[in-house]
Amino acid sequence: MHLTSRWSITRVGVLAFLSVHVLVVVFPFVWMAYSTLKTNKEFMRSVWSLPATPSLDAFVQAWSTGALGTYSLNSLIVMLGSTALAVVVATAGGYALAIYRPRWLAGIEIGLMIAMAIPAYVALVPLVVMLRAMNLLDTHLGVVLPTAAFNVPVTLFIMRAFFVTLPRDIIEAARIDGCSEFTIFWRIAMPIARPAMFTAAIVNMIWVWNDFLFPLVFINSPAKKTLPVGLADFVGEHITNYPVMLAAIFLAAIAPLILFVFFERQITTALTGGAVKE
């Protein structure tokens, strides 16, 4: 009886803690959603109150005057380009590390973990020098390449965790049938790995869509700005229309939120797959 009571108290405590945590996480998004339905005067009068007369004018103004369509298209180009490049490179690398298991595998993994630990800020100056030398500054390609390079290590770990589970009998049977190593990778391993590649792509797309640093540093032309950088235009030098700014942020957050809600299980499995003991 005593143990049952203690267990019940523990469950209630954990449930209360998680409920408070969910409230703290969800409330800012709810507040942002209903604040977009106010006028700027109403917002300045009371930040927390509900809108007296809900209106979608903030969304119309944000879309029509803020060039959100152009910014979204630029973000889409950078996101698709860097994601495709990172997933292709990481798939080939993950397959090689999982199947061939080189002697220096431990050293490679340590190197990848060091690469993941290096802050992007440290590489900004060298990257600017390199991109200027290649005439890639102020271009989408100049953002795609370094973004993909920084995403390759974690994506490679995701793909390697998948290929480790690939039955070796399939590969050995293909070798006996006379298939080349490239044919085995392209026609056998790649089709099987499509779910893992899709999951890795989702993880990359969410990160790249929200990336602010690289587009801010490498792009100068207003017409080439990505969405996170373009959102800064909604902050005025002296006066800011907060409902319009929040509406723009809300629209920008919709895409990654939808991806995360629908593919949360795949994302969690991908990020924790490397923790499974081989």
Side-chain angles (χ1 to χ4, degrees):
M1 183 68 179
H2 179 67
L3 291 177
T4 303
S5 177
R6 181 185 301 176
W7 176 244
S8 299
I9 294 174
T10 303
R11 293 182 63 183
V12 170
V14 171
L15 181 61
F17 173 78
L18 293 178
S19 300
V20 173
H21 177 72
V22 169
L23 181 63
V24 171
V25 172
V26 172
F27 178 74
F29 190 81
V30 174
W31 171 81
M32 179 175 64
Y34 75 71
S35 294
T36 60
L37 305 178
K38 299 180 180 180
T39 63
N40 197 42
K41 289 182 179 180
E42 192 177 2
F43 182 88
M44 298 301 295
R45 189 182 306 117
S46 177
V47 175
W48 304 109
S49 64
L50 294 173
T53 305
S55 173
L56 298 176
D57 291 343
F59 288 94
V60 175
Q61 189 175 347
W63 186 264
S64 61
T65 64
L68 288 182
T70 301
Y71 297 153
S72 300
L73 179 60
N74 293 334
S75 288
L76 187 64
I77 292 172
V78 172
M79 179 185 69
L80 294 179
S82 60
T83 297
L85 183 58
V87 171
V88 169
V89 173
T91 300
Y95 176 82
L97 294 180
I99 301 302
Y100 301 115
R101 299 178 182 271
R103 295 180 181 178
W104 54 88
L105 177 60
I108 295 176
E109 291 181 340
I110 293 174
L112 290 172
M113 287 187 288
I114 293 175
M116 293 170 59
I118 296 176
Y121 303 97
V122 177
L124 284 180
V125 174
L127 284 173
V128 169
V129 174
M130 293 172 60
L131 292 175
R132 181 183 291 117
M134 294 185 292
N135 294 321
L136 291 178
L137 276 181
D138 200 25
T139 66
H140 290 143
L141 184 59
V143 180
V144 167
L145 294 178
T147 301
F150 269 84
N151 285 351
V152 162
V154 64
T155 311
L156 194 148
F157 274 116
I158 293 174
M159 296 309 303
R160 180 182 178 274
F162 172 81
F163 283 122
V164 164
T165 64
L166 188 67
R168 299 297 295 266
D169 294 341
I170 298 177
I171 299 174
E172 294 299 331
R175 288 172 178 167
I176 293 174
D177 290 340
C179 294
S180 65
E181 295 298 321
F182 179 78
T183 301
I184 295 174
F185 169 70
W186 184 257
R187 297 198 172 183
I188 299 177
M190 284 275 286
I192 297 176
R194 284 176 183 172
M197 295 173 66
F198 175 77
T199 302
I202 295 297
V203 174
N204 275 266
M205 285 190 289
I206 292 177
W207 188 89
V208 176
W209 182 266
N210 294 317
D211 184 33
F212 179 81
L213 180 63
F214 282 176
L216 175 66
V217 175
F218 301 147
I219 291 180
N220 299 318
S221 301
K224 297 179 181 178
K225 287 182 179 180
T226 58
L227 191 54
V229 179
L231 291 176
D233 294 342
F234 289 89
V235 180
E237 184 177 356
H238 301 291
I239 300 176
T240 299
N241 192 322
Y242 289 99
V244 174
M245 180 185 68
L246 293 174
I249 295 174
F250 185 87
L251 292 173
I254 286 297
L257 180 64
I258 292 175
L259 283 176
F260 184 81
V261 168
F262 281 95
F263 302 107
E264 182 270 339
R265 179 176 298 179
Q266 291 86 343
I267 294 172
T268 303
T269 302
L271 295 178
T272 59
V276 179
K277 185 176 180 181
E278 299 176 17

